[in-house]
Amino acid sequence: MAGGAPRVFVSHLAGVPVFDPNGDQVGRVRDLVAMLRVGLRPPRLLGLVVEVLSRRRIFLPMTRVTGVESGQVITTGVLNVRRFEQRPTERLVLGELLDRRVRLVETDEEVAVLDISIQQLPARRDWEIDKVFVRKGKSGALRRKGETLTVEWSAVTGFSLEEHGQGAESLLATFEQLRPADLANVLHHLSPKRRVEVAAALDDDRLADVLEELPDDDQVEILGKLKEERAADVLEAMDPDDAADLLSELPEEDKERLLTLMRPDDAADVRRLLSYEERTAGGLMTTEPIVLRPDATVADALARVRQRDISPALAAQVYVCRPPDETPTGKYLGTVHFQRLLRDPPFTLVSSIVESDLPPLAPDTPLPAVTSYLAAYNMVAAPVVDESGSLLGAVTVDDVLDHLLPEDWRETEFDGSGQVETGQVESEPAEADAAVRSPSGRGTADG
């Protein structure tokens, strides 16, 4: 990028793909690493935090970046796959600098940081932060209405101070399109302070989806920082089985207090799930499968399957039961798979195409038997029925996998090897990367 090229705002880099010179994607940008310098000198950009295809986060020095343009980052093609660890003198631009409240040097007026731009220095491969996009006004409603302006880095002060109650609107905007699992991965790598602030800024449904994808420790930490009424609302928005798993990690008195604050119907579902052993069909199941009465039609079934908030595993089949429709239902009659629904006319009654030859699972069926059941019959979900013949819920393959994988699988790479699957992998000693960020390299405090 030439010295006179347009500046790049960091919000436009969040999540963009990183390619090697051959055009193979090696990962995505998750943050930028900068080091503040003394006085009003702009911070030097040390590198990018890149999430490679194995889900590991690595450090990519800016000296290895050959292009930042057209919604992509081009590298030299050589990556060091050691896990990125933030150093005390470094700042994450997206995670820590956006949404900060700083002050204009000239007027001492408080402003909120909405975005930050970076620019490559002329005739060099070094990059630095050059401008800050801010909104005037204090936190709260004024932040949405105040005047916005772009100022030089030297025109603001306050980035070096630790801030309590930092907002999260701008950071969330940069990751608005992320899937819940990917946003959960972003939260997991933030500092505990920032993680709680960002989680608090999410709406109940989005936070519920993200909590379901976080490690247990992060779930408990975030839930414990929410006001109890808000925590109860978020638990209601979670799938009952995930809410039960989370509540089971809490002390008994905290669990009971939150259950009392939840809506009675939602709390009843969760209490029922908590009564089963964790690694059984009853402990794994969700209490909200698609239940239809025998007189429902194929058109009715397809309308239910099409609902956006139903997971693909639950949408794979419907369960035909006599009233009542809510679990525990009336007598369970059988299932109708999605493919069968596509083959029959819309006016066909589901009772005429129901499959009843496959035995359902009992709630005390152990996890190994549940796994064998799904594998033997090529199923992605299975009904759980009690002794009286009532449908209690359904076990889905994603919940089974969640309990078969190692407990820390959400915190590790997909393939467990730490290897980048495309592009070249650098196997140089650890000292090489350290030199880039050490006091004797480009990461000096005073430049």
Side-chain angles (χ1 to χ4, degrees):
M1 195 178 205
R7 65 181 58 90
V8 179
F9 281 93
V10 297
S11 63
H12 298 163
L13 290 178
V16 305
V18 179
F19 294 94
D20 66 16
N22 296 323
D24 294 323
Q25 183 175 341
V26 296
R28 289 187 178 274
V29 176
R30 291 306 183 205
D31 217 316
L32 299 88
V33 184
M35 181 172 289
L36 302 182
R37 298 195 280 188
V38 297
L40 299 177
R41 298 183 62 189
R44 182 167 292 171
L45 194 64
L46 303 181
L48 307 176
V49 179
V50 176
E51 183 179 295
V52 295
L53 302 185
S54 63
R55 211 174 184 179
R56 176 187 290 257
R57 292 188 170 213
I58 67 171
F59 177 74
L60 174 63
M62 292 306 294
T63 53
R64 300 281 174 85
V65 173
T66 59
V68 180
E69 53 193 22
S70 302
Q72 61 185 15
V73 172
I74 308 297
T75 77
T76 59
V78 181
L79 297 179
N80 190 316
V81 294
R82 281 196 318 282
R83 189 187 304 278
F84 167 73
E85 293 184 6
Q86 185 180 358
R87 298 176 180 178
T89 56
E90 296 172 346
R91 297 291 181 270
L92 296 177
V93 178
L94 294 175
E96 298 178 321
L97 300 188
L98 293 193
D99 299 297
R100 285 189 67 91
R101 292 191 297 274
V102 295
R103 291 188 176 275
L104 297 176
V105 173
E106 185 175 347
T107 63
D108 199 38
E109 185 176 1
E110 185 178 73
V111 294
V113 178
L114 303 182
D115 211 339
I116 289 173
S117 72
I118 60 173
Q119 194 167 39
Q120 190 172 19
L121 300 179
R124 298 173 62 184
R125 299 181 71 180
D126 288 346
W127 292 70
E128 67 180 17
I129 291 175
D130 69 333
K131 294 186 183 294
V132 185
F133 181 56
V134 300
R135 174 177 286 144
K136 292 185 177 181
K138 296 182 179 180
S139 60
L142 289 178
R143 291 186 62 185
R144 299 181 180 274
K145 302 177 181 178
E147 175 190 358
T148 58
L149 63 159
T150 302
V151 298
E152 299 289 340
W153 174 270
S154 59
V156 295
T157 182
F159 278 105
S160 60
L161 302 176
E162 182 178 356
E163 181 179 10
H164 300 283
Q166 185 176 348
E169 295 177 3
S170 301
L171 177 60
L172 287 177
T174 64
F175 294 115
E176 184 178 3
Q177 302 303 319
L178 288 184
R179 292 174 178 267
D182 294 326
L183 182 54
N185 194 31
V186 170
L187 259 65
H188 176 67
H189 288 88
L190 294 176
S191 66
K193 165 186 172 293
R194 201 71 180 108
R195 181 161 52 243
V196 171
E197 290 167 347
V198 172
L202 296 169
D203 63 54
D204 291 349
D205 290 335
R206 181 71 159 158
L207 179 54
D209 291 340
V210 171
L211 277 179
E212 292 172 2
E213 305 295 338
L214 281 168
D216 293 344
D217 291 346
D218 290 346
Q219 290 184 353
V220 172
E221 174 192 40
I222 290 172
L223 197 72
K225 296 293 185 180
L226 300 176
K227 293 182 178 179
E228 289 188 340
E229 291 78 7
R230 171 94 199 278
D233 291 341
V234 173
L235 287 167
E236 291 169 356
M238 296 176 68
D239 289 338
D241 53 326
D242 291 306
D245 289 342
L246 174 50
L247 285 171
S248 67
E249 300 290 329
L250 302 181
E252 191 64 30
E253 57 183 25
D254 294 340
K255 177 172 66 179
E256 281 301 319
R257 190 161 56 248
L258 289 171
L259 283 168
T260 302
L261 290 172
M262 293 173 65
R263 289 191 295 262
D265 289 347
D266 293 317
D269 286 340
V270 175
R271 288 184 187 277
R272 182 149 50 92
L273 290 169
L274 287 169
S275 67
Y276 298 110
E277 292 292 331
E278 180 181 6
R279 298 173 70 83
T280 63
L284 295 169
M285 70 181 180
T286 177
T287 57
E288 298 178 344
I290 301 177
V291 178
L292 295 171
R293 297 185 181 187
D295 58 353
T297 65
V298 166
D300 296 328
L302 289 173
R304 293 286 301 278
V305 166
R306 280 197 295 266
Q307 291 181 12
R308 187 182 298 249
D309 58 346
I310 296 178
S311 69
L314 277 181
Q317 58 198 41
V318 299
Y319 303 88
V320 183
C321 305
R322 299 197 183 281
D325 302 340
E326 301 294 329
T327 56
T329 66
K331 181 176 177 58
Y332 166 73
L333 301 178
T335 62
V336 182
H337 295 279
F338 175 64
Q339 286 182 319
R340 182 62 190 269
L341 294 174
L342 294 177
R343 290 197 297 262
D344 283 85
F347 53 80
T348 304
L349 296 180
V350 292
S351 57
S352 67
I353 57 175
V354 68
E355 296 181 16
S356 57
D357 57 332
L358 199 61
L361 297 170
D364 59 353
T365 305
L367 177 59
V370 174
T371 306
S372 299
Y373 180 98
L374 294 174
Y377 299 113
N378 298 316
M379 306 277 282
V380 295
V384 182
V385 175
D386 65 13
E387 293 180 351
S388 67
S390 297
L391 180 71
L392 300 176
V395 177
T396 57
V397 67
D398 54 320
D399 288 320
V400 171
L401 287 174
D402 198 5
H403 286 75
L404 289 177
L405 292 167
E407 290 186 3
D408 62 346
W409 74 268
R410 296 185 188 277
E411 305 172 56
T412 56
E413 297 76 35
F414 286 134
D415 64 357
S417 67
Q419 296 299 309
V420 176
E421 297 174 15
T422 62
Q424 293 176 274
V425 177
E426 182 183 27
S427 58
E428 63 185 25
E431 289 79 3
D433 178 45
V436 176
R437 300 160 69 193
S438 69
S440 59
R442 45 189 305 261
T444 56
D446 58 4

